[in-house]
């Protein structure tokens, strides 16, 4: 049962009925928790046990630590060492084959997804302990709400990351009635997310896997260029599609999660990219790593900023995985951001002098190209494969293929379907990106609602790729 | 003790120098969204300059709680009055 699958929607339907039949707030929370544990148990019992135990541990630890008003720094270090060590240890055990029941079947990584969402809720638990230690919030008093904040089925898989306190605030005011607003906004978001994942991202999967995983996939610079760009587009539609489904599902229960994307392909700099891409994760790293470091070292001026950037993206790389490819991906972004910081005054001066449309026309492609380059490391199975791709990319004598792109692609696909899926997928992706703002702002109430929902459903059913679309790329984190 | 208006004026000079932009005019409601150079990459350096100028110290949570220039002016007023 994955987010967006048929059993997932069956679970939502049953949960929705019981949720809205009941008028009791406590019971509603129990229903959501039960549904969340059923969802996690589909992946493994280890998922259920881990999320429950880590939540109980953090819930009671904060209560114990603050007793007598003395939550010491040592106590904070102890609990967050346990949180982080658990994450690293469990990931390592899984990598070593401790439990290989579920593996990625379509390339990208062999990492098992046995412990669902541990990377995401570990961040939330670490933040919770820091916030209680800093006295920003009082410890939570509702254990069910605490476990639910970590295990909530709509977002446990891949976020968005959200403070436990902010999530639990909403649990106190869960809706009694199923309102038209929650229904309309929820269903619309689920349909848009499903279209992003099943109609667009899935059409690009075969080509991306061929380009990255097949030894014949990237033999000349042009194909590496296409690989980097296609993977970035696929990742965006896959991940933001999941987030749309998560936001829409939560909305059906009257819970509003934080937005995680804001049209990243319109960024004109890397720092802007990170304000628009995986927003909740970068906000977490900014709040709990970047700013504290930049604050402590602030008298060192620009050096402080550069050190804080380096540490933040190094930790971010480690959070994604312990592999060298993630570390180099992090190093790429550290380099980009350091260069941007050092050249900020010059780029700002240029921006002021240049027509905004012209500036965007020049700097948006540069930004996307830099991100795509870093994704060559992020997506490659190992360092030798990534370095081979980089070598091929800059081997200008061998940049263009001898045969047409379609013919070359056919070697990987051996049928017309692959070529069609790629072309149609790219066409739909461009179409979506051009009208993205308008699509996301179309809140259809009143008489056009039925027509709008019918249109989205027809697009999904007629154009969706339903074979093997059972995994999202970011699930492994 | 500095008056609110005097603080706003001297902050304007600090912002102009820090961001090399003589067109900056601060108001209470000015936020980071209004000044292109003012973002997470430059925020702490700016705060350090302000601290040095007024010989005061902001706590970490204080710095993160400033939502606009007005909040910053209030914090400086309180600290310089003490």
């Amino acid at each position: 049962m994955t987010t967006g699958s048929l059993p997932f929607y069956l679970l939502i339907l049953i949960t929705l009925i019981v949720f809205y039949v009941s008028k009791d707030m406590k019971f509603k929370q129990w229903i959501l928790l039960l549904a969340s544990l059923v969802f996690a148990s589909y992946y493994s019992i280890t998922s259920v046990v881990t999320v429950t135990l880590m939540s109980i541990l953090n819930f009671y630890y904060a209560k114990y630590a603050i007793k007598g008003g003395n939550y010491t720094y040592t106590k904070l270090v102890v609990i967050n060492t346990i949180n982080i060590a658990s994450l690293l240890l469990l990931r390592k055990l899984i990598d070593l084959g401790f439990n290989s029941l579920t593996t990625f079947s379509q390339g990208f990584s062999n990492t098992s997804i046995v412990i669902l969402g541990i990377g995401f809720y570990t961040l939330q638990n670490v933040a919770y302990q820091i916030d209680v230690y800093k006295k920003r919030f009082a410890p939570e008093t509702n254990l069910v709400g605490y476990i639910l904040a970590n295990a909530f089925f709509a977002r446990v898989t891949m976020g968005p990351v959200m403070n436990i306190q902010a999530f639990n605030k909403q649990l106190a005011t869960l809706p009694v009635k199923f309102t038209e607003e929650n229904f309309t906004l929820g269903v619309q978001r689920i349909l848009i997310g499903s279209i992003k994942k099943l109609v667009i991202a899935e059409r690009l999967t075969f080509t991306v896997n061929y380009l990255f995983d097949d030894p014949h996939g990237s033999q000349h610079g042009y194909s590496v260029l296409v690989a980097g760009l296609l993977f970035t587009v696929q990742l965006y539609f896959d991940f933001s599609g999941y987030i749309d489904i998560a936001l829409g599902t939560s909305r059906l229960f009257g819970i509003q999660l934080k937005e995680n994307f804001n049209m990243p392909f319109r960024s004109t700099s890397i720092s802007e990219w990170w304000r628009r891409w995986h927003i909740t994760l970068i906000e977490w790293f900014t709040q709990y790593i970047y700013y504290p470091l930049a604050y402590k070292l602030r008298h060192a001026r620009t050096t402080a900023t550069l050190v804080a950037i380096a540490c933040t993206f190094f930790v971010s790389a480690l959070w994604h995985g312990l592999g060298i490819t993630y570390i180099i991906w992090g190093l790429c972004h550290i380099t980009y951001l350091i260069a941007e910081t050092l050249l900020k005054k010059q780029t700002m001066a240029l921006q002021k002098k240049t027509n905004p449309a012209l500036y965007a026309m020049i700097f948006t492609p540069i930004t996307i190209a830099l991100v795509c380059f870093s994704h060559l490391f992020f997506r490659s199975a190992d360092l030798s494969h990534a370095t081979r791709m980089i070598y091929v990319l800059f081997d200008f004598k061998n940049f263009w293929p001898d045969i047409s792109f379609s013919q070359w692609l056919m070697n990987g696909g051996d049928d017309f379907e692959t070529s069609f899926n790629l072309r149609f997928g790219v066409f739909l992706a461009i179409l979506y990106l051009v009208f993205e703002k308008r699509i996301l702002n179309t809140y259809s109430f009143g008489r056009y609602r039925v027509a709008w929902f019918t249109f989205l459903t027809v697009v999904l059913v007629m154009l969706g790729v339903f074979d093997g679309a059972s995994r999202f790329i970011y699930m492994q984190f | 003790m500095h008056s609110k208006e005097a603080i706003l004026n001297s902050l304007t000079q600090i912002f102009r120098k820090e961001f090399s932009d003589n067109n900056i005019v601060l108001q209470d409601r000015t936020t980071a969204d209004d000044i292109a150079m003012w973002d997470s990459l430059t925020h702490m350096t700016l705060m350090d300059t302000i601290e040095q100028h007024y010989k005061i110290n902001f706590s970490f949570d204080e710095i993160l709680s400033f939502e606009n220039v007005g909040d910053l002016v209030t914090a400086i007023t309180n600290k310089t009055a003490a």
Side-chain angles (χ1 to χ4, degrees), chain A residues 124-322:
Chain A
Q124 296 181 167
N125 286 332
V126 168
Y128 173 72
Q129 296 297 340
I130 295 172
D131 288 342
V132 175
Y133 164 74
K134 289 262 184 189
K135 296 191 171 62
R136 290 173 189 148
F137 299 101
E140 287 296 319
T141 52
N142 174 7
L143 178 61
V144 174
Y146 193 100
I147 304 173
L148 185 56
N150 279 333
F152 185 40
F153 65 91
R155 72 181 181 116
V156 65
T157 317
M158 304 180 335
V161 182
M162 202 165 157
N163 274 358
I164 284 171
Q165 293 89 345
F167 182 85
N168 281 6
K169 244 186 199 172
Q170 299 191 51
L171 294 181
T173 54
L174 288 171
V176 178
K177 282 184 183 170
F178 195 26
T179 63
E180 185 187 347
E181 190 185 4
N182 282 343
F183 172 79
T184 308
L185 295 178
V187 172
Q188 173 178 271
R189 207 68 196 263
I190 290 171
L191 284 170
I192 290 172
S194 303
I195 288 171
K196 277 181 175 174
K197 164 71 177 165
L198 297 171
V199 178
I200 302 174
E202 278 307 307
R203 287 191 188 277
L204 307 178
T205 302
F206 185 90
T207 310
V208 170
N209 289 348
Y210 171 64
L211 290 170
F212 276 95
D213 301 329
D214 194 296
H216 306 288
S218 299
Q219 289 186 328
H220 37 73
Y222 179 70
S223 57
V224 176
L225 204 67
V226 172
L229 187 59
L230 269 191
F231 172 64
T232 306
V233 172
Q234 183 209 18
L235 184 61
Y236 174 62
F237 281 94
D238 187 281
F239 194 8
S240 71
Y242 163 84
I243 292 292
D244 287 336
I245 297 171
L247 264 70
T249 306
S250 304
R251 191 69 198 234
L252 293 177
F253 296 95
I255 295 171
Q256 293 190 42
L257 302 180
K258 287 176 83 172
E259 292 289 345
N260 210 30
F261 293 93
N262 179 22
M263 301 182 284
F265 287 90
R266 297 181 185 205
S267 309
T268 53
S269 67
I270 293 294
S271 62
E272 191 184 353
W273 174 271
W274 284 111
R275 286 194 294 274
R276 290 171 174 270
W277 175 277
H278 210 167
I279 297 166
T280 60
L281 182 76
I282 205 67
E283 274 181 0
W284 192 96
F285 282 114
T286 306
Q287 173 85 13
Y288 296 102
I289 296 178
Y290 174 79
Y291 270 143
L293 265 174
Y295 174 76
K296 278 248 183 273
L297 306 171
R298 66 192 185 286
H299 302 314
R301 315 279 302 165
T302 308
T303 312
T305 307
L306 304 186
V307 171
I309 289 171
C311 292
T312 305
F313 273 87
F314 186 70
V315 176
S316 169
L318 290 180
W319 178 85
H320 280 90
L322 296 175

Side-chain angles (χ1 to χ4, degrees), chain A residues 37-179:
Chain A
L37 296 181
V38 167
F39 180 72
S41 70
Y42 171 80
Y43 290 90
S44 68
I45 294 302
T46 325
S47 295
V48 180
V49 173
T50 312
V51 71
T52 311
L53 280 183
M54 293 311 289
S55 301
I56 292 173
L57 173 70
N58 278 281
F59 178 82
Y60 282 111
Y61 189 91
K63 270 175 170 297
Y64 146 78
I66 202 141
K67 250 185 190 169
N70 192 23
Y71 193 145
T72 60
Y73 186 69
T74 314
K75 286 179 184 171
L76 176 70
V77 171
V78 168
I79 185 65
N80 278 344
T81 306
I82 294 172
N83 280 326
I84 294 161
S86 308
L87 169 69
L88 297 177
L89 190 72
L90 287 165
R91 274 191 176 166
K92 196 70 202 162
L93 286 173
I94 292 163
D95 284 346
L96 292 172
F98 162 68
N99 189 342
S100 56
L101 290 173
T102 320
T103 54
F104 245 142
S105 55
Q106 294 189 318
F108 190 48
S109 168
N110 289 322
T111 309
S112 305
I113 309 152
V114 179
I115 303 177
L116 191 67
I118 187 166
F120 290 90
Y121 63 73
T122 298
L123 295 180
Q124 296 181 167
N125 286 332
V126 168
Y128 173 72
Q129 296 297 340
I130 295 172
D131 288 342
V132 175
Y133 164 74
K134 289 262 184 189
K135 296 191 171 62
R136 290 173 189 148
F137 299 101
E140 287 296 319
T141 52
N142 174 7
L143 178 61
V144 174
Y146 193 100
I147 304 173
L148 185 56
N150 279 333
F152 185 40
F153 65 91
R155 72 181 181 116
V156 65
T157 317
M158 304 180 335
V161 182
M162 202 165 157
N163 274 358
I164 284 171
Q165 293 89 345
F167 182 85
N168 281 6
K169 244 186 199 172
Q170 299 191 51
L171 294 181
T173 54
L174 288 171
V176 178
K177 282 184 183 170
F178 195 26
T179 63

Side-chain angles (χ1 to χ4, degrees), chain A residues 290 295 298-299 301 352, chain B residues 21 39-40 48-49 51 58:
Chain A
Y290 174 79
Y295 174 76
R298 66 192 185 286
H299 302 314
R301 315 279 302 165
K352 266 188 184 169
Chain B
D21 183 352
D39 61 12
S40 58
D48 179 58
T49 309
E51 284 179 325
F58 293 127

Side-chain angles (χ1 to χ4, degrees), chain A residues 315-375:
Chain A
V315 176
S316 169
L318 290 180
W319 178 85
H320 280 90
L322 296 175
I324 186 78
T325 48
Y326 292 120
I327 291 175
I328 297 179
W329 166 80
L331 286 175
C332 287
H333 284 274
I334 291 169
T335 311
Y336 301 158
L337 286 167
I338 286 177
E340 192 181 319
T341 307
L342 296 175
L343 297 171
K344 200 165 180 62
K345 281 184 182 167
Q346 288 84 339
T347 49
M348 284 294 158
L350 181 67
Q351 192 172 9
K352 266 188 184 169
K353 282 186 221 156
T354 319
N355 174 293
L358 180 66
Y359 187 85
M361 268 173 66
I362 297 165
F363 283 93
T364 301
I366 292 173
T367 304
I368 294 172
L370 291 172
V371 171
C372 292
F373 180 80
S374 73
H375 278 161

